[in-house]
Amino acid sequence: MLLTLAWGSLFFPGLFVLSTWWLRRARPEWTDHDCVMISTRVVSSAQAVLATGSGIVIIRACRNVVSDRHWLAREYVWFLIPYMVYDTYAMYLCEWYRTREQDRRHTLTIFRNFLSKNRLMITHHVVILLVLVPVTQRLRGELGDFFVGCIFTAELSTPFVSLGRVLIQLKQQHTLLYKVNGILTLTTFLSCRILLFPFMYWSYGHHQRLSLFQVPFRIPLYCNLANAFLIAPQIYWFSLLCKKAARLFDTPPAGKDG
């Protein structure tokens, strides 16, 4: 546990510092905010690839979705804890550079704006650290590694979300790459962050010889409540992505001649 925490504490901030340093040397015309923001997205994408890969390994290893074990189901959570702490600070750092470049506000004002603009994401990180970590590492006992692996694969959409943010930062919204990435973002987000939950219910039902619709009535209430709590922000974020996609592909009517 302690060794894994130490590796995570070195890996994520280290990758951020290395990426920022390289971007400043490779793209001297970019602002500090550009370099910091893009580096943040690089680290987020790296974490997403590691989490998704770990999730796939766990899912494939657990034939029995209830009782089969895989060491990554616990070990990767310890690796994830430093990332959540780092990512919260990295989001603040992005806001600090963005605001300082624009109007040089006081640090306290920047911090208040950061909390206001990112309250949902900050809440998401805090809940993971204070609720989901204890659940996955202690309260669930020796059961459910398969479902922990499923939750890890929800990160599959993150590299596409990150690429979209980078392209916006670089003012590349008009490119074909941006539109293709938008389609991939919607597809992966829908499949891995929303349809993932019916898949987990179906997997449990298949194991217990239950139909999908019987499962919610055969599992503890707190499992249903936890899943509802997890899927709610995903549905909200997906609705925002759909609105953005609608604006992207909405072609304005041609003007009249004369």
Side-chain angles (χ1 to χ4, degrees):
M1 178 190 78
L2 293 178
L3 182 60
T4 307
L5 283 169
W7 275 114
S9 300
L10 290 173
F11 178 76
F12 295 114
L15 181 59
F16 172 78
V17 170
L18 181 62
S19 177
T20 304
W21 173 83
W22 183 84
L23 286 173
R24 283 171 173 163
R25 290 178 61 89
R27 291 290 186 270
E29 70 276 12
W30 286 1
T31 66
D32 286 339
H33 175 246
D34 290 334
C35 295
V36 168
M37 192 281 294
I38 292 173
S39 296
T40 302
R41 298 299 170 183
V42 169
V43 178
S44 296
S45 298
Q47 190 283 133
V49 170
L50 292 173
T52 302
S54 298
I56 292 172
V57 169
I58 295 167
I59 291 169
R60 290 176 60 87
C62 294
R63 301 291 183 182
N64 185 312
V65 302
V66 175
S67 59
D68 277 1
R69 307 299 312 282
H70 195 283
W71 63 272
L72 273 173
R74 290 193 187 276
E75 209 63 26
Y76 191 79
V77 174
W78 296 125
F79 191 66
L80 182 66
I81 291 173
Y83 170 77
M84 289 296 168
V85 177
Y86 145 81
D87 193 50
T88 303
Y89 176 72
M91 288 190 295
Y92 169 73
L93 202 59
C94 288
E95 179 67 16
W96 190 87
Y97 274 108
R98 185 189 68 81
T99 308
R100 296 283 288 189
E101 288 176 2
Q102 290 179 357
D103 53 19
R104 297 187 177 276
R105 295 180 185 176
H106 191 274
T107 301
L108 182 59
T109 304
I110 296 173
F111 183 70
R112 288 173 178 169
N113 290 340
F114 163 71
L115 293 178
S116 176
K117 290 176 59 178
N118 298 278
R119 56 183 178 272
L120 184 58
M121 186 61 73
I122 294 170
T123 302
H124 171 266
H125 283 25
V126 170
V127 168
I128 287 177
L129 290 173
L130 300 184
V131 179
L132 294 185
V133 169
V135 169
T136 58
Q137 303 301 81
R138 290 289 182 264
L139 299 181
R140 68 185 177 92
E142 305 295 317
L143 305 176
D145 282 14
F146 172 87
F147 300 106
V148 174
C150 289
I151 295 298
F152 287 167
T153 63
E155 290 294 315
L156 180 61
S157 63
T158 298
F160 303 105
V161 174
S162 295
L163 178 57
R165 296 286 180 85
V166 170
L167 292 173
I168 291 173
Q169 183 71 17
L170 300 179
K171 297 179 173 58
Q172 298 296 309
Q173 299 97 315
H174 62 283
T175 61
L176 177 62
L177 174 61
Y178 183 78
K179 293 183 177 181
V180 171
N181 183 71
I183 295 172
L184 292 173
T185 300
L186 287 174
T187 302
T188 54
F189 202 101
L190 176 63
S191 59
C192 294
R193 288 185 179 254
I194 296 178
L195 298 181
L196 172 70
F197 291 90
F199 169 74
M200 291 194 292
Y201 276 69
W202 175 85
S203 299
Y204 180 82
H206 181 72
H207 174 73
Q208 300 286 43
R209 302 182 184 275
L210 300 171
S211 71
L212 175 63
F213 301 103
Q214 291 176 305
V215 173
F217 304 101
R218 300 294 184 89
I219 63 177
L221 177 62
Y222 64 82
C223 292
N224 290 316
L225 292 176
N227 286 325
F229 183 80
L230 288 172
I231 198 174
Q234 313 304 329
I235 293 174
Y236 171 73
W237 284 323
F238 184 69
S239 69
L240 296 182
L241 289 174
C242 289
K243 291 177 182 178
K244 185 181 294 186
R247 291 196 299 268
L248 176 64
F249 292 100
D250 184 25
T251 304
K256 295 181 179 180
D257 295 336

